[in-house]
């Protein structure tokens, strides 16, 4: 667990992402952070992160999580991120690593369902409980053989419990868990590419349906702004 690769990929005089402090000591007693960041970069994906040993272990999930236990979602292992990254929502400049818009799609805490997390990670079978705003209950990350290369691919799977469902949570709850914004609204506010960002919002929402449903926003202007080039 190290932030060396994270830092090597980024220029902190250009990107608003946090450099992160030196790795924090392993958390003892306090609850462990969980976050999913929806990231509209060259491709839309969901970055799934679990705090462990002072960093955020991270996986890129192209299709996002599914509440349906029969659906296995590919989760590509990526570099550890600083714990502070979990509250980052904004725009990474184009041309920088991961250039695009980042939303804190879900956040909360997690708890391992295994006695030894390091052993579970090494084995490639980590069972855990999420206490998020959107995702709750029991889940598993299982390492697969596929793809090769230096990064492992994993599958993110919901276990059967009271929180399992066939509803498509990525479509039904597209807004930021931190600010209530859509991807396009984050890009709009932070000087990003609004048109590109809007491709990350569900089509009916991006067209203004759900924008109008949000009481704190004026009815018409966000939709106009989203459409403006
Ligand atoms: Mn990403």
């Amino acid at each position: 667990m190290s932030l060396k690769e994270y830092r090597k990929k980024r220029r902190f005089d250009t990107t608003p992402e946090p450099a992160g402090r030196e790795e924090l000591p392993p958390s003892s007693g306090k609850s462990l952070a969980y976050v999913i960041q929806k990231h509209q970069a060259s491709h839309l994906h969901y970055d799934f992160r679990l705090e462990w040993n002072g960093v955020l272990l991270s996986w890129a999930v192209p299709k996002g999580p599914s509440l349906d236990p029969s659906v296995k979602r590919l989760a590509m292992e990526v570099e550890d991120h600083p714990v502070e990254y979990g509250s980052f929502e904004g725009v990474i400049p184009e041309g920088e690593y991961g250039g695009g818009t980042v939303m804190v799609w879900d956040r909360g805490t997690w708890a391992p369902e295994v006695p030894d997390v390091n052993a579970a990670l090494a084995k490639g079978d980590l069972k855990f409980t999420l206490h998020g705003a959107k995702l709750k209950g029991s889940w598993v990350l299982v390492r697969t053989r596929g793809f090769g290369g230096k990064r492992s691919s994993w599958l993110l799977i919901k276990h059967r419990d009271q929180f399992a469902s066939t509803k498509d949570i990525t479509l039904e709850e597209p807004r930021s868990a931190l600010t209530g914004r859509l991807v396009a609204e984050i890009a709009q506010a932070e000087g990003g590419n609004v048109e590109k960002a809007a491709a990350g919002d569900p089509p009916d929402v991006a067209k203004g349906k759900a924008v109008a449903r949000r009481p704190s926003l004026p009815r018409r202007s966000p939709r106009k702004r989203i459409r403006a080039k």
Side-chain angles (χ1 to χ4, degrees):
M1 327 257 167
S2 159
L3 297 177
K4 202 186 270 181
E5 185 180 349
Y6 171 85
R7 292 188 178 122
K8 209 170 131 192
K9 286 180 167 176
R10 290 167 178 82
R11 300 190 297 167
F12 296 105
D13 55 348
T14 310
T15 181
E17 297 164 290
R21 285 164 289 174
E22 285 313 302
E23 289 90 276
L24 304 169
S27 33
S28 57
K30 101 177 177 32
S31 56
L32 297 164
Y34 141 74
V35 65
I36 294 181
Q37 281 154 319
K38 186 174 179 179
H39 187 184
Q40 178 68 53
S42 50
H43 300 282
L44 177 69
H45 59 274
Y46 292 75
D47 289 302
F48 182 90
R49 311 192 198 278
L50 298 175
E51 178 186 355
W52 187 246
N53 284 343
V55 297
L56 295 175
L57 306 179
S58 298
W59 292 262
V61 184
K63 292 185 177 175
S66 171
L67 303 184
D68 183 342
S70 70
V71 175
K72 301 172 171 67
R73 287 286 157 86
L74 177 67
M76 300 299 295
E77 195 179 314
V78 298
E79 76 273 18
D80 297 340
H81 279 52
V83 171
E84 297 97 310
Y85 203 93
S87 50
F88 173 71
E89 181 172 278
V91 170
I92 302 169
E94 295 299 329
E96 296 303 307
Y97 182 75
T101 304
V102 177
M103 168 200 283
V104 176
W105 182 78
D106 194 22
R107 69 199 299 237
T109 61
W110 75 282
E113 294 177 6
V114 293
D116 186 339
V117 172
N118 292 329
L121 288 167
K123 191 178 158 215
D125 184 347
L126 177 65
K127 296 178 175 69
F128 53 94
T129 302
L130 295 180
H131 306 282
K134 296 175 184 172
L135 302 193
K136 298 173 196 299
S138 183
W139 294 74
V140 63
L141 274 164
V142 190
R143 192 164 53 223
T144 68
R145 288 171 190 281
F147 289 85
K150 64 172 182 161
R151 295 276 175 214
S152 301
S153 56
W154 300 62
L155 296 170
L156 176 66
I157 310 165
K158 180 79 192 78
H159 281 143
R160 292 187 193 282
D161 61 16
Q162 59 181 304
F163 302 107
S165 163
T166 54
K167 86 166 181 178
D168 189 336
I169 185 114
T170 61
L171 290 179
E172 292 195 19
E173 301 197 36
R175 290 184 175 278
S176 166
L178 193 63
T179 62
R181 296 182 293 182
L182 295 169
V183 183
E185 291 168 344
I186 295 165
Q188 173 74 42
E190 317 278 346
N193 182 331
V194 179
E195 191 185 359
K196 177 185 168 189
D201 293 317
D204 60 329
V205 177
K207 280 193 202 105
K209 274 190 186 170
V211 172
R213 239 188 278 139
R214 186 172 173 227
S216 58
L217 279 177
R219 263 182 172 267
R220 301 200 57 87
S221 59
R223 159 198 203 164
K224 267 193 221 149
R225 274 189 266 128
I226 286 163
R227 280 190 178 159
K229 299 294 181 293

